């Protein structure tokens, strides 16, 4: 039975909370509270204010509704606590809204009941009203919360809810409902907290809630039954036992339920899941006919989203394999976007990310399959996997006709294997690079066999620099491709080397070794930029303005957010769309970085955004607490700022050679397009210092501060190392080359992939031989001023 508490919330609030409370409850009170002040509220004050924020009607003044949204937003990273009266107020507010609007998010009500600071008030009346209103309006999507709340009222209402929820939703959902209804109320609440079906309205689920839910044996058993039932249904559709209808293999609610089941299995890292995914994903992605439709596009995307939440290398590989076979024209493009986020997420889950199969390859990374007639297929893994057919030991240019005719299944199997291996290698590279941000440490014995000696991983691992702890606190750096591994016990620690932990002389030595040995690293490691705290950042204490006040192509930056694993809401001309803070967690989920930005000019796909502060927060007792920059670990700070530098450097309008707009944007373009170099551009300069003497245009190139100076026959050109923009001597007139047509003749070795560096070199080769330029637009610019 729920109890009552008559405490007056107004007597429990401090001055800030009291002002906010008056503004929420009195339509004549108008106040403006900077968002930065809201973290000052205590957890209990926030609970009181949240209850009133949910009670604000849609007819309230705009300022009041905005304040309510701000308070609800401020609770995303907090764990509010509710006095008994605030708890009662929250439930009553939700019940009233459900009757008025027909839908309401139940999660705040469950949270209020879960985190009440005293005896629970008697809210059975409003709870019954809330449930019945949602049932009457057919708003039954919040399955777990509805069951939990109905169970708090009485058994009769719970039976009514179970019967209604089971209707017309499919057998998989009916099984889930029966399982959830039999759980204790606390477990139902945990499921509701973890399985947020309306994430745009609720704070993200915390790791503890997910862990507790995934460890529930009844739901874990259901998760396996559900996914196996889905795979069986997909197989029945392919066999013709169930009529095929495009995208109708599962109901909407079944898709949601299967997504939650997949999350539980992925979180638990169930050993049976890889084989099941290998059955289920192709089954829902390919029509049983030659049609370009899918049995369930919705379930495919939901399973990928589940893998983004709790990735495993096997899931990533299976999704990449499906991406290569699906016939629908638009699905591969969407999967590519989702895979970028998935790679970034897997890199953070270091406990499973480096797990690799061998697929029958020998220790040298070679798999050989003999075929009748003296033919053989040889798959070799170097930087990537390649398939070559041989006849009596001699390589052939293509698949021999007899093999194609008599062994079509083997040909397809090997081609699929090459795709799968390359997908696994890409996943490994992303995971290894992600390990830099968590300073991942591995047992030396496992690393020698499981990574450095693994037939697929060895060529990638060998081109990276590692540190082995040969004695307590003493680390020795080694490049396996060129060095002997040091003697150390199996339990010794090994980790990826990072330049921020090394002396400048050692960094320079590693860079020289890579260039001289023409060793191309899988990702930028030796030449990795490092970002150290500046005096200005020490003065601003809790935020950095290092990358503020830039104008960027917004949609390009938004795409980069997703590619690098940052979460951000899309800006636009709608309520709350003026500004946002992109965020990412690093350091094994213990640190959060937020990059603030705002809409500067709305033009659809051509919109501009203005960049602002970068702030850091640390996870403390499940909540985020903003901290001074001096408390952020140097490696976490450096890797976070490296991402922000990338966002600004790639998307700034200063790097757009075709920018012609006037006004403030043009002034910014002229200023930033030739400004002092950020760390990313300094890394390009470092590479150029080493490779310029090796180029055939070396006698026409010099480095001068922030520019690569190229002496052509017609003019001398200054290429900015940050933007790649070009100025021409003697008058510093601008030379616009939208797409450089010159090439580096294929002989230029770069120790890492850098699109901007390749562009600079391409322009340098073009301009060094400027008498051979045929493009009239370029020639016309060069000729001006002669």
């Amino acid at each position: 039975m729920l109890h009552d508490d008559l405490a007056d919330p107004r007597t429990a609030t401090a001055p800030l909370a009291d002002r906010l409370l008056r503004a929420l409850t009195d339509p004549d009170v108008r106040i403006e509270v900077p968002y930065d002040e809201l973290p000052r509220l205590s957890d209990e004050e926030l609970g009181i204010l949240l209850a009133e924020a949910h009670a604000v009607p849609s007819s309230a003044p705009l300022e009041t509704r905005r304040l309510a949204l701000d308070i609800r937003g401020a609770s995303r990273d907090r764990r509010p606590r509710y006095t008994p009266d605030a708890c009662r107020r929250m439930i009553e507010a939700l019940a009233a809204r459900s009757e008025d609007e027909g839908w309401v998010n139940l999660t705040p009500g469950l949270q209020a009941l879960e985190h009440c600071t005293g005896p629970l008030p008697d809210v059975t009346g409003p709870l019954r009203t809330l449930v019945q209103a949602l049932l009457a309006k057919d708003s039954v999507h919040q399955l777990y919360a509805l069951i939990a709340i109905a169970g708090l009222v009485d058994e009769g209402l719970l039976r009514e809810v179970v019967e209604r929820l089971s209707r017309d939703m499919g057998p998989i959902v009916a099984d889930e409902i029966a399982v959830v209804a039999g759980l204790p109320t606390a477990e139902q609440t945990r499921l509701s907290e973890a399985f947020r079906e309306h994430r745009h309205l609720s704070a993200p689920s915390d790791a503890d809630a997910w862990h507790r839910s995934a460890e529930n044996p009844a739901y874990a058993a259901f998760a396996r039954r559900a996914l196996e039932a889905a795979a069986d249904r997909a197989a029945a559709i392919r066999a013709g036992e169930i009529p095929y209808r495009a995208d109708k293999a599962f109901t909407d609610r079944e898709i949601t339920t299967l997504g939650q089941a997949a999350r539980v299995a992925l979180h638990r890292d169930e050993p049976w899941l890889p084989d099941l995914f290998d059955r289920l994903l192709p089954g829902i992605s390919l029509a049983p006919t030659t049609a370009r439709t899918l049995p369930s596009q919705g379930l495919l995307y939901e399973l990928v989203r589940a893998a983004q939440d709790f990735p495993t290398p096997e899931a990533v590989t299976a999704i990449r394999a499906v991406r290569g076979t699906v016939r629908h024209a638009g699905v591969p493009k969407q999967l590519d976007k989702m895979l970028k986020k998935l790679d970034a997420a897997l890199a953070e889950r270091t406990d499973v990310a480096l797990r690799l199969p061998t697929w029958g390859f020998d220790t040298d990374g070679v798999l050989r399959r003999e075929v009748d007639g003296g033919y053989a297929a040889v798959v070799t893994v170097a930087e990537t996997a390649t398939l070559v057919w041989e006849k009596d030991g001699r390589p052939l240019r293509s698949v021999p006709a007899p093999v194609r005719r008599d062994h079509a299944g083997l040909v397809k199997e090997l081609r699929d294997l090459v795709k799968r291996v390359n997908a696994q290698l890409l996943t490994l590279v992303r995971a290894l690079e992600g390990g830099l941000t968590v300073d991942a440490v591995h047992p030396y014995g496992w690393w020698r066999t499981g990574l450095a000696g693994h037939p697929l991983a060895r060529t990638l691992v060998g081109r990276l620099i590692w540190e082995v702890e040969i004695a307590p606190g003493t680390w020795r750096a080694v490049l396996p491709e060129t060095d002997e591994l040091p003697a150390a016990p199996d339990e010794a620690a090994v980790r990826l080397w990072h330049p921020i932990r090394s002396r400048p002389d050692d960094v320079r030595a590693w860079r020289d070794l890579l260039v001289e040995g023409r060793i191309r690293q899988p990702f930028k490691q030796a030449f990795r930029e490092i970002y150290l705290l500046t005096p200005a950042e020490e003065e601003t204490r809790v935020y950095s303005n290092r990358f503020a006040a830039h104008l960027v192509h917004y949609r390009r930056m938004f795409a980069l957010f997703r590619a690098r694993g940052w979460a951000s809401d899309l800006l636009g001309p709608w309520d709350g769309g003026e500004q946002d803070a992109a965020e990412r967690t690093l350091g094994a989920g213990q640190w959060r970085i937020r990059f603030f930005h705002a809409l500067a000019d709305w033009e659809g796909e051509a919109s501009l955004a203005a960049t602002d502060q970068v702030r850091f927060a640390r996870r403390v007792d499940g909540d985020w607490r903003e901290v001074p920059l001096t408390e952020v670990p140097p490696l976490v700070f450096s890797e976070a700022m490296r991402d922000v530098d990338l966002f600004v450097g790639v998307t700034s309008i200063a790097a757009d050679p075709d920018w012609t707009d006037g006004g403030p944007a043009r002034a910014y373009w002229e200023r930033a397009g030739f400004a002092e170099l950020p760390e990313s551009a300094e890394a390009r300069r470092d590479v150029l210092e080493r490779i310029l003497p090796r180029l055939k245009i070396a006698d026409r190139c010099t480095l001068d501060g922030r520019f690569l100076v190229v002496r052509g026959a017609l003019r001398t050109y200054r290429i900015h190392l940050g933007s790649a923009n070009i100025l021409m001597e003697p008058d510093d007139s601008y030379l616009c080359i939208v797409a450089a047509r010159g090439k580096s003749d294929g002989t230029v070795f770069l120790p890492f992939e850098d699109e901007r560096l390749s562009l600079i070199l391409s322009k340098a080769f073009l301009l060094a031989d400027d008498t051979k330029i045929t493009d009239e637009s370029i020639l016309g610019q060069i000729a001006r001023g002669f």
Side-chain angles (χ1 to χ4, degrees):
M1 177 61 67
L2 302 177
H3 301 285
D4 193 17
D5 188 322
L6 301 178
D8 183 354
R10 290 164 178 77
T11 64
T13 57
L16 171 61
D18 193 45
R19 287 190 295 130
L20 293 172
L21 189 62
R22 287 199 304 272
L24 288 171
T25 56
D26 188 342
D28 295 326
V29 175
R30 300 282 189 275
I31 64 169
E32 287 191 14
V33 177
Y35 192 80
D36 285 354
E37 287 192 35
L38 296 180
R40 292 168 43 202
L41 296 167
S42 70
D43 291 342
E44 190 166 295
E45 289 169 348
L46 188 56
I48 293 169
L49 292 167
L50 269 174
E52 294 300 336
H54 280 278
V56 171
S58 57
S59 59
L62 178 61
E63 293 85 350
T64 306
R65 285 183 282 127
R66 282 183 173 170
L67 177 59
L69 286 173
D70 283 345
I71 290 171
R72 291 164 70 171
S75 71
R76 288 185 62 223
D77 301 327
R78 301 280 299 277
R79 191 169 298 172
R81 303 177 71 217
Y82 297 82
T83 64
D85 198 62
C87 180
R88 175 189 56 77
R89 181 67 171 140
M90 174 68 81
I91 300 301
E92 290 174 345
L94 295 179
R97 179 161 289 181
S98 69
E99 290 186 298
D100 293 341
E101 302 176 10
W103 189 92
V104 69
N105 180 19
L106 297 176
T107 301
L110 279 175
Q111 290 175 331
L113 293 166
E114 176 77 6
H115 302 293
C116 186
T117 59
L120 289 177
D122 183 2
V123 289
T124 51
L127 284 178
R128 183 184 297 277
T129 299
L130 180 59
V131 172
Q132 290 178 334
L134 294 179
L135 291 178
K137 297 292 181 70
D138 203 31
S139 183
V140 295
H141 304 293
Q142 301 175 82
L143 183 153
Y144 316 105
L146 270 173
I147 291 175
I149 288 177
L152 287 171
V153 179
D154 58 46
E155 287 294 326
L157 185 60
L158 177 60
R159 285 194 298 272
E160 181 183 351
V161 167
V162 168
E163 180 183 347
R164 175 63 188 86
L165 292 176
S166 301
R167 193 184 308 159
D168 303 325
M169 288 193 180
I172 292 174
V173 180
D175 186 6
E176 179 186 34
I177 290 168
V179 169
V180 174
L183 296 175
T185 300
E187 291 296 325
Q188 295 167 346
T189 301
R190 293 287 182 273
L191 289 173
S192 180
E193 287 181 343
F195 302 167
R196 297 282 167 77
E197 299 158 89
H198 300 280
R199 298 183 180 192
H200 61 292
L201 294 178
S202 305
S205 308
D206 64 60
D208 290 341
W210 257 109
H211 180 74
R212 291 192 298 268
S213 297
E215 291 305 308
N216 183 296
Y219 200 91
F222 159 74
R224 183 170 187 174
R225 289 198 307 273
L227 292 169
E228 287 177 342
D232 290 344
R233 189 184 303 178
I237 291 173
R238 176 158 294 280
E241 299 167 6
I242 297 176
Y244 175 67
R245 292 189 300 155
D247 220 17
K248 299 294 184 183
F250 302 90
T251 67
D252 290 345
R253 179 62 223 190
E254 282 181 323
I255 289 172
T256 298
T257 290
L258 288 167
Q260 310 295 26
R263 286 174 175 85
V264 166
L266 286 162
H267 185 279
R268 293 169 62 90
D269 197 20
E270 296 282 16
W272 49 264
L273 190 59
D275 288 342
L276 190 142
F277 266 179
D278 285 343
R279 285 198 300 133
L280 176 57
L281 288 173
I284 61 176
S285 304
L286 288 171
T289 64
T290 58
R292 295 182 176 273
T293 53
L294 288 75
S296 183
Q297 184 171 326
L299 181 56
L300 173 62
Y301 290 156
E302 180 61 18
L303 292 178
V304 178
R305 284 190 289 269
Q308 288 174 341
D309 288 341
F310 300 103
T312 66
E314 296 83 4
V316 176
T317 300
I319 292 165
R320 278 205 168 89
V322 163
R323 183 254 177 261
T325 59
V326 67
R327 303 188 198 107
H328 188 289
V331 170
K333 184 177 180 181
Q334 182 63 26
L335 288 179
D336 285 342
K337 294 178 181 178
M338 301 176 82
L339 277 164
K340 289 179 179 178
K341 185 175 180 181
L342 214 167
D343 285 333
L346 178 61
E348 294 289 319
R349 199 180 183 193
T350 54
D351 56 329
V352 301
L354 303 183
R355 189 168 58 212
L356 289 171
T358 60
W359 284 317
F361 284 81
D362 65 21
T363 55
D364 293 324
V366 177
L367 182 145
R368 187 177 183 89
R369 298 284 291 273
E370 304 288 344
V371 183
D372 295 340
Y375 296 106
V378 181
V379 182
T380 305
V381 177
E383 291 190 23
T384 59
T386 56
L387 170 62
V388 175
W389 289 91
E390 296 179 352
K391 168 69 172 175
D392 297 327
R394 292 179 290 106
L396 304 175
R397 293 188 175 182
S398 60
V399 183
V403 174
R404 188 184 299 112
R405 181 187 63 242
D406 300 331
H407 301 281
L410 176 62
V411 173
K412 181 179 185 304
E413 175 191 337
L414 291 173
R415 285 175 173 169
D416 289 346
L417 176 64
V418 169
K419 291 179 182 177
R420 180 159 288 207
V421 169
N422 285 331
Q424 188 77 58
L425 293 176
L426 179 58
T427 300
L428 175 63
V429 170
R430 298 289 186 266
L432 288 171
E433 186 173 16
L436 284 173
T437 69
V438 296
D439 209 9
V441 175
H442 315 286
Y444 189 44
W446 172 84
W447 176 85
R448 280 197 308 260
T449 56
L451 279 182
H454 192 281
L456 304 184
R458 62 188 183 85
T459 58
L460 295 176
V461 172
R463 288 179 283 121
L464 291 168
I465 307 164
W466 297 82
E467 289 182 308
V468 182
E469 193 174 26
I470 56 175
T474 302
W475 297 81
R476 178 182 296 174
V478 59
L479 183 70
E481 183 163 306
T482 62
D483 300 330
E484 268 192 45
L485 298 182
D490 287 350
E491 63 272 16
V494 59
R495 65 186 180 189
L496 273 169
W497 175 90
H498 194 291
I500 204 167
R501 289 193 297 260
S502 297
R503 297 177 306 169
D505 287 347
D506 293 335
V507 175
R508 282 192 290 270
W510 282 118
R511 292 178 177 182
D512 289 340
L513 177 65
L514 292 179
V515 173
E516 290 167 6
R518 297 180 67 84
I519 299 172
R520 183 180 176 88
Q521 295 197 289
F523 54 83
K524 191 188 293 188
Q525 186 193 25
F527 284 89
R528 201 172 192 84
E529 309 87 347
I530 60 173
Y531 300 77
L532 303 175
L533 207 61
T534 65
E537 287 163 338
E538 291 177 353
E539 189 166 332
T540 54
R541 278 194 75 251
V542 296
Y543 64 88
S544 168
N545 276 330
R546 190 184 306 202
F547 298 107
H550 287 273
L551 285 176
V552 299
H553 290 288
Y554 172 63
R555 287 303 182 103
R556 296 181 199 171
M557 187 170 74
F558 185 75
L560 270 179
F561 287 158
R562 298 300 175 87
R564 298 289 298 177
W566 288 62
S568 179
D569 290 334
L570 187 67
L571 300 183
W574 45 76
D575 238 7
E578 301 89 357
Q579 58 187 0
D580 189 46
E583 62 182 56
R584 181 186 177 189
T585 58
L586 292 176
Q590 296 306 302
W591 290 91
R592 185 192 66 185
I593 301 88
R594 305 185 80 191
F595 174 36
F596 292 80
H597 54 283
L599 203 60
D601 185 20
W602 171 255
E603 292 291 343
E605 291 295 324
S607 298
L608 299 181
T611 63
D612 206 337
Q613 300 173 357
V614 176
R615 291 174 176 261
F616 290 77
R618 178 170 49 204
R619 189 181 288 278
V620 179
D621 297 329
D623 297 333
W624 290 111
R625 294 286 187 262
E626 196 168 85
V627 299
L629 301 182
T630 52
E631 295 182 15
V632 181
L635 193 148
V636 171
F637 181 84
S638 184
E639 288 297 307
M641 298 301 276
R642 183 175 183 268
D643 266 7
V644 179
D645 189 357
L646 171 72
F647 299 148
V648 174
V650 171
T651 66
S652 169
I653 65 170
D656 185 348
D658 205 25
W659 186 263
T660 57
D661 289 4
R666 181 66 183 186
Y668 164 79
W669 183 90
E670 292 174 349
R671 180 180 71 255
F674 302 98
E676 292 296 328
L677 299 182
E679 284 82 350
S680 55
E682 290 287 0
R684 290 186 202 111
R685 179 186 170 86
D686 198 333
V687 176
L688 286 170
E689 286 178 343
R690 289 170 166 78
I691 67 174
L692 277 179
R694 305 166 185 265
L695 304 182
K696 67 179 184 179
I697 60 171
D699 60 336
R700 279 163 281 167
C701 295
T702 56
L703 285 167
D704 180 15
R706 70 193 81 160
F707 294 94
L708 171 61
V709 181
V710 182
R711 292 182 298 279
L714 302 177
R715 281 211 186 197
T716 295
Y717 311 90
R718 298 167 62 80
I719 308 174
H720 191 259
L721 300 179
S723 66
N725 290 340
I726 306 167
L727 297 176
M728 297 184 290
E729 294 183 355
D731 57 352
D732 278 351
S733 55
Y734 174 66
L735 173 61
C736 177
I737 301 179
V738 176
R741 308 193 199 292
K743 295 182 180 178
S744 62
D745 74 7
T747 64
V748 178
F749 164 77
L750 298 179
F752 57 86
E753 186 176 335
D754 186 312
E755 185 176 343
R756 190 68 56 82
L757 179 56
S758 298
L759 176 62
I760 289 169
L761 285 170
S762 177
K763 290 182 176 181
F765 273 88
L766 174 73
L767 297 171
D769 205 4
D770 55 6
T771 57
K772 294 184 179 179
I773 295 174
T774 58
D775 188 295
E776 293 297 332
S777 68
I778 298 176
L779 289 173
Q781 295 176 78
I782 293 174
R784 278 200 303 268
F786 280 7

